[in-house]
Amino acid sequence: MYNTDLPTRAELPSTRKLIRSTLVAAVVAAALLVTVVLPSEYAIDPTGAGRLLGLTQMGEIKNELAEEAALDQSNDEAPPVVTTAPVQVMAQSEHSQTLADASSPQEAPSPPAEETATWRDEVSFILAPGEGTEYKLTMEEGAVVTFAWASDGGPLNFDTHGDGNGNSISYEKGRGVPDDEGELKAAFTGNHGWFFRNRNGNDVTVVLRISGDYGELKRKL
C-alpha cells in the first residue's frame, strides 16, 4: 500500500551527530545574535563588528525614533498646563505722572549686547517635513563644548545624546523647541551631539554653532 521505504537504523543519524548539529546551530545563532541582531535592533555592539558593517548605526536610529515616538505620545496624552499670573493695575493721575517725568532724569537706551562667544564651527541646514538629521562631535571623556542652535520656520524635536565603545547616554530631550544653548560635557570618550526632527508641515532652517574641546564635527544622517 505504501511505496516509501523506511530508513534503517544504520541510516538514521546517531545521538552524537544530533548533539553536535544542535551545538553548531546554537553557536551560529549566538554569533548572529551578537554580531547582527543586537547591533541592528538595539544598538548593542559588544564585538564592534556591527559598527564596521553599519548595523549599529541602524540600531541607534531605531532607538532614537522609538524614543521620539514615546516622547510624542507622552506629550500628547499630558493635559496642557496653563499658568495665569495675577495682573496688578496701578492708577496714576496725569499730574503725578508729569511730576515724576520732570523729576527723574532721562536714561539713554542701552546699546545691544555684543556677542562674546567665538564659534569654532557653524552649520546651517534645512529639514523637510518629517525629516530628521544628526550632528555628532568626537570628544574625549570630560571634554566640554559650548553650543547654540535655533530654528527658523517652526520648533523642533531634539535629543542630545552620546555613544561609543559600547556606551550610550541621553543628556536632554525636547519636543517643540525653537532653540537651545548651553554646555555639553562628554560622559565618556566617543561621539556626542544632537538629533533633530522636523514635525512641522513646512521646511525648517536650523543653524547650529559650536565651540570648545572636540575633534571633529560630522553629520551622521
Side-chain angles (χ1 to χ4, degrees), residues 12-204:
L12 294 174
S14 64
T15 302
R16 179 178 296 179
K17 289 183 178 179
L18 290 175
I19 294 176
R20 184 172 60 185
S21 299
T22 303
L23 291 176
V24 170
V27 171
V28 172
L32 291 175
L33 176 66
V34 173
T35 60
V36 177
V37 178
L38 290 179
S40 62
E41 294 295 331
Y42 306 102
I44 300 175
D45 188 16
T47 65
R51 188 165 297 278
L52 293 177
L53 298 174
L55 300 176
T56 305
Q57 291 84 338
M58 294 173 54
E60 292 171 351
I61 295 173
K62 290 181 180 179
N63 287 343
E64 290 166 356
L65 293 177
E67 292 172 357
E68 183 184 352
L71 183 62
D72 287 343
Q73 183 177 3
S74 63
N75 281 275
D76 291 339
E77 293 176 353
V81 178
V82 179
T83 303
T84 304
V87 179
Q88 296 181 353
V89 179
M90 300 180 65
Q92 189 176 34
S93 65
E94 293 183 0
H95 178 69
S96 60
Q97 179 64 43
T98 303
L99 292 177
D101 292 343
S103 59
S104 61
Q106 298 293 328
E107 297 183 357
S110 59
E114 297 181 357
E115 294 186 1
T116 58
T118 301
W119 303 108
R120 173 177 166 185
D121 279 302
E122 177 177 329
V123 292
S124 177
F125 53 94
I126 298 175
L127 293 178
E131 184 181 6
T133 192
E134 185 178 42
Y135 277 88
K136 287 287 187 67
L137 308 170
T138 57
M139 300 177 64
E140 299 292 329
E141 180 178 355
V144 179
V145 298
T146 302
F147 70 90
W149 63 264
S151 61
D152 182 13
L156 298 174
N157 296 356
F158 76 93
D159 180 6
T160 307
H161 62 284
D163 62 81
N165 300 320
N167 301 310
S168 63
I169 186 174
S170 179
Y171 298 104
E172 183 184 9
K173 296 179 182 179
R175 178 177 181 269
V177 180
D179 53 65
D180 191 24
E181 61 180 329
E183 288 188 344
L184 174 61
K185 183 178 181 180
F188 49 80
T189 300
N191 301 310
H192 305 264
W194 304 265
F195 175 80
F196 300 99
R197 173 76 69 181
N198 177 17
R199 290 299 188 186
N200 300 280
N202 54 274
D203 292 352
V204 174

Side-chain angles (χ1 to χ4, degrees), residues 1-12:
M1 184 175 180
Y2 297 100
N3 296 325
T4 303
D5 295 331
L6 296 176
T8 63
R9 182 178 295 274
E11 293 174 338
L12 294 174

